[in-house]
Amino acid sequence: MSSKIKPIKSVSLVEQVEQRILEFLKENRFKSGDSLPGEIELAENLGVSRNIVRESLSRLRMLGVVESKKRKGMFIAEPDILSGIERIMDPDLLGEEAMQHIFELRLVLEVGMSELLFIRKNDSDVVNLQEIVDREANDPLCKTDLQTRLAYEIEFHSYLYKMSGNGTLNRFQSMLLPVFHYMMQQESKSAAEPKRGSISHNDLVETLRSGTAYEFRENMRNHLTPHFSKLS
């Protein structure tokens, strides 16, 4: 035979009921805040025991799809799309390849969010970024201590995420920080002086102040040269 027969997946009854409830919610266009049918009604319609339905709903509650309200029943929740990722975003739990991929995602986000920054930036944001840059420039340890320089790097770029005004993006960046710290720690152990782009933090602030979104994107790409140069 030219192709193999795909094996049958073993799916428990609880998983089947969970999937069927999800399909039911989608088919009937349930929205956040809508109440679900009771356990007894669901059990009768699905032809399973109430215990199976209860366990399936418990799984959906863990995923953030539904929530229970005392004496009121189950309701559709607004899923927290980052909660599952947040629990495992730990260098101790992730392999080297996974951390590298996450670090690359951070590079893509920072280069790609220029349009959003220019739509939502204000004078106060630019002033706050300039204050970070000035502290960095006047800190003598930046010239001799890589850890100090990395601390300013994190502070500066974290503020850019805050400037975006996007709660999901800002929260995701916070989740990336442990991986970012780990990767930076690995780079700091290198005996060789890391490559540096020709665009500094101060140049990026000046671009935010008087440049364009396109110029900022190009300058950010240049600023991140040390990291992009290691991609293969």
Side-chain angles (χ1 to χ4, degrees), residues 155-171:
E155 183 180 4
F156 182 89
H157 289 267
S158 293
Y159 196 88
L160 291 178
Y161 282 90
K162 180 181 177 181
M163 276 180 61
S164 74
N166 184 297
T168 299
L169 187 61
N170 193 34
R171 183 179 167 200

Side-chain angles (χ1 to χ4, degrees), residues 75-87:
F75 293 81
I76 300 297
E78 186 168 350
D80 186 343
I81 60 175
L82 298 179
S83 61
I85 302 174
E86 196 167 31
R87 285 193 288 266

Side-chain angles (χ1 to χ4, degrees), residues 4-56:
K4 295 182 179 179
I5 299 176
K6 294 182 179 179
I8 297 174
K9 293 183 179 179
S10 177
V11 180
S12 70
L13 184 57
V14 171
E15 291 175 304
Q16 293 179 55
V17 170
E18 177 187 348
Q19 185 58 40
R20 187 64 195 92
I21 292 175
L22 282 173
E23 292 171 358
F24 169 76
L25 298 178
K26 293 175 183 178
E27 291 167 0
N28 291 276
R29 298 183 181 279
F30 276 72
K31 302 294 183 184
S32 177
D34 290 346
S35 61
L36 273 69
E39 290 180 2
I40 295 176
E41 183 181 348
L42 286 171
E44 290 176 349
N45 288 332
L46 291 164
V48 297
S49 72
R50 189 175 176 181
N51 286 338
I52 293 294
V53 169
R54 185 177 295 120
E55 188 174 344
S56 299

